Amino acid sequence: QVQLVESGGGLVQAGGSLRLSCAASGSPLSTYSMGWFRQAPGKEREFVSAISWRGATTYYADSVEGRFTISRDNAKNKVYLQMDSLKPEDTAVYYCAARTYYQGSYYSYEYDYWGQGTPVTVSS
């Protein structure tokens, strides 16, 4: 079993950048593919990005493609989401999730472990 803790959220102006981190404990992160999801107020949780367990394959939602970059450092048991050119519509609570499979997934129900989330607010 793995425990996940997100950090790095905060308030930023439109056009700015943030880097989210997800720290894992309890189990080597290298045995999981990882995903980032977000949930805005009044909306359903949505897929943002995912990465395979070795980092060879990455996936992005169309809405963040070209602006966000997912990466991982298995030696440090961490996953990152670099968010650039932020827009007000990126405002949400961001969650990292772990899947016990080598490939990432676009679907939240395919992930087995979740963090508590970190809030991101982008002001216009």
Side-chain angles (χ1 to χ4, degrees), residues 13-63:
Q13 287 189 330
S17 298
L18 282 175
R19 188 194 195 202
L20 305 184
S21 297
C22 175
S25 61
S27 184
L29 198 62
S30 58
T31 59
Y32 301 93
S33 60
M34 299 297 294
W36 285 96
F37 290 77
R38 66 187 182 187
Q39 187 166 17
K43 296 188 177 181
E44 293 187 353
R45 190 170 299 187
E46 65 174 0
F47 171 79
V48 175
S49 184
I51 188 167
S52 60
W53 63 359
R54 297 288 186 264
T57 306
T58 57
Y59 314 76
Y60 295 96
D62 289 344
S63 59

Side-chain angles (χ1 to χ4, degrees), residues 19-112:
R19 188 194 195 202
L20 305 184
S21 297
C22 175
S25 61
S27 184
L29 198 62
S30 58
T31 59
Y32 301 93
S33 60
M34 299 297 294
W36 285 96
F37 290 77
R38 66 187 182 187
Q39 187 166 17
K43 296 188 177 181
E44 293 187 353
R45 190 170 299 187
E46 65 174 0
F47 171 79
V48 175
S49 184
I51 188 167
S52 60
W53 63 359
R54 297 288 186 264
T57 306
T58 57
Y59 314 76
Y60 295 96
D62 289 344
S63 59
V64 307
E65 180 82 53
R67 299 189 297 122
F68 290 11
T69 304
I70 191 171
S71 62
R72 65 190 298 160
D73 186 337
N74 287 342
K76 295 183 178 179
N77 257 15
K78 287 189 174 181
V79 177
Y80 306 98
L81 185 69
Q82 177 67 41
M83 306 188 296
D84 298 318
S85 302
L86 282 161
K87 304 175 181 180
E89 51 264 45
D90 295 318
T91 295
V93 177
Y94 283 71
Y95 300 87
C96 72
R99 183 186 188 207
T100 50
Y101 191 62
Y102 73 99
Q103 277 186 329
S105 170
Y106 295 92
Y107 306 105
S108 60
Y109 62 82
E110 293 190 331
Y111 289 81
D112 304 290

